[in-house]
């Protein structure tokens, strides 16, 4: 592996930016933008080769899209209870859309992307509990939409319609450690996308250097609905619980933001 200083890596990113449109090196891969950039930098997946420096993350995002940026994966506490596969999925899940076809007839799904500003149509939401220094997942049956009445009745039969027990949560300190380790410093590249001869091409247009991650700003962003919690589990597989952020808001988590 070739090692670069931060400054050398910035220069390599400038060269890539100046090349203009570059074909997707990972056709059919949703992560094509980041993977193609890693190929151009000749690095392993998100393993920036900067010696003797704090941790760095490489983040790419499409320009002019409403898609969310995945920050990291983290399962809720208490971890030993395995709350997603053993509580949320069996007690609050619903029939998977491919049950009886691609998957067994009893396959269930628990997919929710939720935030702190409003409940989902199934009554789930995020609560920032500053008194106990926790980010909690909450259920309120009164907020379930009428078109989910049959599902709500099934929840009542399986468990009850009270608040989740135990209630999934992440401690502020645990989140600060996880996010601070994963996002301490970040190269954030905004990328234009278009198809040329039916092949997706990328132009890595805007390069930002984000430094000094701020844990307090991270919690504020959750409370303000800028960071969402994304559950993606089915009976056969838990794809992991993700913290995801709205586009063009990542820089709000850092004390220092520099555009190259």
């Amino acid at each position: 592996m070739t090692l670069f200083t931060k400054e050398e890596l910035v220069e390599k990113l400038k060269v890539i930016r100046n090349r203009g449109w570059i074909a997707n090196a990972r056709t059919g891969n949703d992560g094509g933008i980041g993977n193609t950039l890693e190929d151009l930098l000749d690095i392993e997946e998100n393993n920036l080769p900067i010696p003797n420096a704090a941790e760095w993350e490489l983040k790419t995002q499409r320009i002019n899209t409403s898609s969310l940026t995945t920050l990291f994966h983290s399962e809720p506490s208490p971890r030993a209870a395995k709350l997603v596969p053993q509580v949320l999925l069996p007690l609050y899940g619903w029939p998977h859309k491919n049950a009886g076809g691609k998957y067994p007839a009893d396959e269930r799904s628990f997919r929710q992307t939720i935030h702190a500003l409003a409940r989902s149509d199934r009554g789930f939401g995020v609560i920032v509990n500053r008194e106990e220094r926790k980010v909690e997942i909450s259920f309120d049956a009164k907020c379930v939409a009428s078109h989910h009445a049959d599902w709500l009745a099934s929840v009542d039969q399986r468990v009850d319609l009270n608040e989740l027990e135990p209630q999934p949560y992440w401690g502020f300190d645990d989140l600060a450690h996880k996010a601070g380790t994963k996002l301490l410093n970040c190269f954030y590249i905004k990328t234009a996308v278009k198809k040329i001869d039916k092949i997706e091409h990328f132009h890595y247009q805007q390069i930002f250097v984000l430094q000094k991650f701020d844990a307090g700003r991270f919690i504020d962003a959750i409370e303000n609905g800028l960071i969402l919690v994304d559950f993606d589990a089915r009976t056969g597989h838990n794809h992991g619980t993700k913290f995801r952020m709205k586009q063009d808001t990542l820089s709000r988590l850092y004390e220092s933001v520099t555009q190259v």
Side-chain angles (χ1 to χ4, degrees):
M1 176 186 293
T2 302
L3 299 180
F4 308 108
T5 65
K6 183 187 74 174
E7 292 73 21
E8 287 172 339
L9 194 55
V10 167
E11 290 304 314
K12 288 181 71 70
L13 289 170
K14 286 182 182 179
V15 170
I16 292 170
R17 178 183 62 193
N18 294 339
R19 282 180 56 179
W21 294 101
I22 298 171
N24 184 354
R26 309 285 186 93
T27 303
N29 182 352
D30 290 338
I33 293 178
N35 296 142
T36 298
L37 183 56
E38 288 161 352
D39 289 348
L40 293 167
L41 293 170
D42 194 25
I43 62 174
E44 298 177 10
E45 184 172 348
N46 222 342
N47 186 14
L48 296 180
I50 302 176
N52 304 319
E55 292 298 319
W56 284 86
E57 183 86 355
L58 184 66
K59 290 287 184 188
T60 55
Q61 187 161 45
R62 295 169 184 252
I63 294 173
N64 299 324
T65 179
S66 59
S67 63
L68 302 172
T69 297
T70 298
L71 301 177
F72 55 82
H73 291 65
S74 180
E75 295 304 306
S77 295
R79 298 281 179 85
K82 298 181 178 179
L83 292 180
V84 175
Q86 296 189 10
V87 176
L88 295 180
L89 187 60
L91 299 183
Y92 296 88
W94 46 88
H96 194 282
K97 64 180 181 180
N98 293 321
K102 182 178 180 181
Y103 301 123
D106 60 352
E107 190 82 1
R108 290 188 178 274
S109 173
F110 189 84
R111 297 189 69 183
Q112 291 274 284
T113 301
I114 56 178
H115 55 81
L117 296 185
R119 299 272 173 167
S120 72
D121 63 355
R122 293 187 188 266
F124 293 96
V126 177
I127 294 176
V128 176
N129 185 339
R130 291 190 177 271
E131 182 176 349
E132 297 187 15
R133 294 179 54 79
K134 293 179 178 179
V135 173
E136 301 168 332
I137 301 302
S138 173
F139 172 69
D140 187 344
K142 297 188 297 295
C143 296
V144 176
S146 59
H147 60 273
H148 289 312
D150 290 344
W151 166 78
L152 186 62
S154 76
V155 171
D156 196 13
Q157 291 179 341
R158 283 178 277 171
V159 51
D160 55 42
L161 299 182
N162 297 322
E163 178 61 277
L164 300 172
E165 178 59 42
Q167 194 165 11
Y169 74 91
W170 293 264
F172 281 12
D173 292 339
D174 291 337
L175 281 176
H177 176 74
K178 178 71 174 184
T181 300
K182 188 71 175 173
L183 303 170
L184 183 59
N185 299 292
C186 181
F187 289 99
Y188 179 46
I189 296 92
K190 294 184 181 182
T191 309
V193 180
K194 71 175 180 180
K195 285 192 175 181
I196 302 174
D197 296 330
K198 299 182 180 181
I199 297 175
E200 199 168 43
H201 283 64
F202 309 130
H203 185 189
Y204 299 95
Q205 290 184 347
Q206 301 174 44
I207 304 167
F208 296 86
V209 181
L210 312 180
Q211 294 179 270
K212 298 182 180 179
F213 171 83
D214 187 308
R217 296 185 188 192
F218 183 84
I219 298 300
D220 290 344
I222 296 176
E223 193 168 47
N224 293 328
L226 300 178
I227 292 177
L228 300 85
V229 178
D230 183 15
F231 293 99
D232 185 5
R234 60 176 177 83
T235 302
H237 184 64
N238 177 14
H239 293 274
T241 306
K242 308 174 187 70
F243 280 77
R244 308 183 73 192
M245 195 165 193
K246 291 185 176 180
Q247 189 184 22
D248 293 333
T249 56
L250 183 63
S251 60
R252 299 190 189 189
L253 304 182
Y254 295 85
E255 295 181 17
S256 174
V257 178
T258 304
Q259 183 168 5
V260 175

